[in-house]
Amino acid sequence: MRIYFLLFVLIWSGCSKSETHDMAEHDMATHDAAGMVLDAETPVLGDHSLYQVESSWTNQSGSTLSLSSLAGKPQVVAMTYTSCEVSCPRIVSAMQQIQRSAKSDVGFVLISIDPDRDTEQKLLAYADRMGLDPASWNLLTGDGDDVREMAALLGVRYQQMPDGEFAHSNIITVLDGEGVISHQQNEIASDLTSQTIEAVKSVVRAEGGLN
Amino acid sequence: MLLISGGVYKPLYDNGGDVEGVALAPFYMDENPVTVGDFLEFVTANPTWRKSVISPLFSEESYLLLWKDDLNPGSLGRKEPVTHVSWFAAKAFAKWKGNRLPTIAEWEYVGSAGLRSPDGKTEMDFQKNLLALTNQPKPNPLPDVGGSPPNYWGIRDMHGLLWEWVSDFNSALITGESRADASLERKLYCGSGVVGASDFTDYAAFMRYAFRASVTAAYSGSNLGFRTVRSL
């Protein structure tokens, strides 16, 4: 069934006479990218750090925080919502497994894709129910546009269905201490979760932590 | 910007019985896509969005590909639609203008208007013309904006010139989706899945849905631009 889609892309790219030319220039531009410098106002973070995004979030304790406040240790991030009964508990369960196996100072972040309904009270009740200790876990809710942007950054796609539930990607992302994506798990499966655990351990090792 | 009266957008995919459609509040929309000249003003006023300094988090290297340097669009006409802009850059431009990117529902609602009525399907040959426009080779360089006849709302260039960013482009799901992944994917792409669609005939809309599902927010391409909207 992908064939149809590929066909569209081929038609689309085939329509542009400049495409070959574009690609050649694109390759050259890649070399230039190495010399890219960030604006002086940008915080001292890696070029690919998600923490340069200026959005404001509220966690399950009612604290307001910026993404950059998550810097300093690896963070394992997923986008879920608390009334989700099907896949989100599996995502959280996989993250708990990662937490048990990593045995290090690693943070865990759940960003709600349902900010209208997921108040901080809901987040707190969810954290209690799932046994997510507040020292390691941040359950975040925020502005709908910021949630959309976060999804764009993490490659998460989501859509509210007519019944109020959400269809969404099941992606678990590992961020290093500077907020750069170092690993992504695109579905919930035990072998993939094992790979994520290894990825977390290697980030911890690279940053001089113990595990 | 031109006023778009509120209305009801009927999604291409009914997602299991969304027969009511999406109610839209009135909003303003740019008559034309954002131009190279408009975007030059934006990067002049907002240095962090210039091509030499933009964070790679927010755009692939092809950002403003044909521009000679930060403030020089080179041979691009100032009235050409700006292309090679990422979703992040389009969003930042809209915010700078005090506007925002349209939602899929808003864009598709306006895009479904004909020349004389809010519902183009009531006009003869409307969809046939749309599909022809969507499939025709794109001229290089792109023509200036405003070249198409205004639709019912007075909006131009919705079809045939460009793909356009929308705020919720990443709501179209293709892989790794949690609920009914296969069925959603079938709704998006597969001919047999068209039974899940609310309108079997709107192939141009299918192509837009497929395109949105294929891009990431840092992507920038030679036929991808945007326009902005503002709530009342």
Side-chain angles (χ1 to χ4, degrees), chain A residues 49-50 52-54 145-155 181, chain B residues 39 42 48-49 54-60 63 84-96 101 165-167 169-170 215-220 224 226:
Chain A
S49 172
L50 266 54
Q52 60 195 299
V53 174
E54 293 167 0
D145 277 351
D146 292 336
V147 174
R148 206 29 101 183
E149 181 174 70
M150 205 57 212
L153 289 162
L154 295 173
I181 294 175
Chain B
F39 209 79
F42 168 66
T48 51
W49 292 97
I54 187 173
S55 164
L57 188 68
F58 299 137
S59 188
E60 297 174 348
Y63 180 65
H84 287 116
V85 284
S86 67
W87 178 82
F88 294 106
K91 185 167 170 278
F93 175 98
K95 190 177 174 189
W96 174 67
L101 294 177
W165 282 115
V166 286
S167 59
F169 80 96
N170 56 348
V215 294
T216 60
Y219 174 79
S220 65
L224 178 57
F226 68 103

Side-chain angles (χ1 to χ4, degrees), chain A residues 1-2 4-5 8-9 11-12 15-19 21-23 25-26 29-30 33 35-39 41-42 46-53 81 84 86-87 145-153 156-163 165-171 186-187, chain B residues 14-18 47-48 51-58 60-62 65-66 84 87-88 91 135-138 140 163 167-179 182 184-186 189-191 203 206-207 210-217 219 221-224:
Chain A
M1 64 181 90
R2 289 285 171 72
Y4 288 85
F5 169 59
F8 288 156
V9 171
I11 291 167
W12 178 68
C15 289
S16 169
K17 280 185 181 164
S18 65
E19 205 64 21
H21 175 65
D22 281 4
M23 288 313 292
E25 290 207 16
H26 187 104
T30 311
M36 234 175 225
V37 286
L38 281 178
D39 186 81
E41 289 173 18
T42 310
D47 277 1
H48 288 89
S49 172
L50 266 54
Y51 298 159
Q52 60 195 299
V53 174
Y81 64 109
C84 166
V86 185
S87 68
D145 277 351
D146 292 336
V147 174
R148 206 29 101 183
E149 181 174 70
M150 205 57 212
L153 289 162
V156 169
R157 290 173 178 269
Y158 67 95
Q159 178 178 19
Q160 190 159 24
M161 312 297 271
D163 63 1
E165 298 297 304
F166 285 79
H168 61 95
S169 316
N170 291 327
I171 295 179
N186 291 323
E187 56 186 293
Chain B
D14 61 11
N15 286 334
D18 191 13
T48 51
K51 67 182 283 183
S52 68
V53 295
I54 187 173
S55 164
L57 188 68
F58 299 137
E60 297 174 348
E61 292 92 348
S62 57
L65 184 68
L66 301 177
H84 287 116
W87 178 82
F88 294 106
K91 185 167 170 278
N135 277 338
Q136 78 187 0
K138 301 292 180 282
N140 181 23
W163 302 102
S167 59
D168 52 350
F169 80 96
N170 56 348
S171 65
L173 294 149
I174 41 171
T175 56
E177 193 269 310
S178 67
R179 306 168 68 242
L184 238 170
E185 188 172 355
R186 193 165 61 242
Y189 299 118
C190 182
Y203 286 103
F206 278 93
M207 290 178 69
F211 181 75
R212 286 172 197 138
S214 73
V215 294
T216 60
Y219 174 79
S222 59
N223 290 330
L224 178 57

Side-chain angles (χ1 to χ4, degrees), chain A residues 60 82-83 114 116-129 139:
Chain A
Q60 74 273 29
T82 64
S83 50
D114 188 13
D116 290 343
R117 289 187 293 184
D118 279 342
T119 59
E120 62 188 70
Q121 293 83 357
K122 283 259 188 69
L123 297 179
L124 183 60
Y126 188 77
D128 284 347
R129 190 167 81 231
L139 282 67

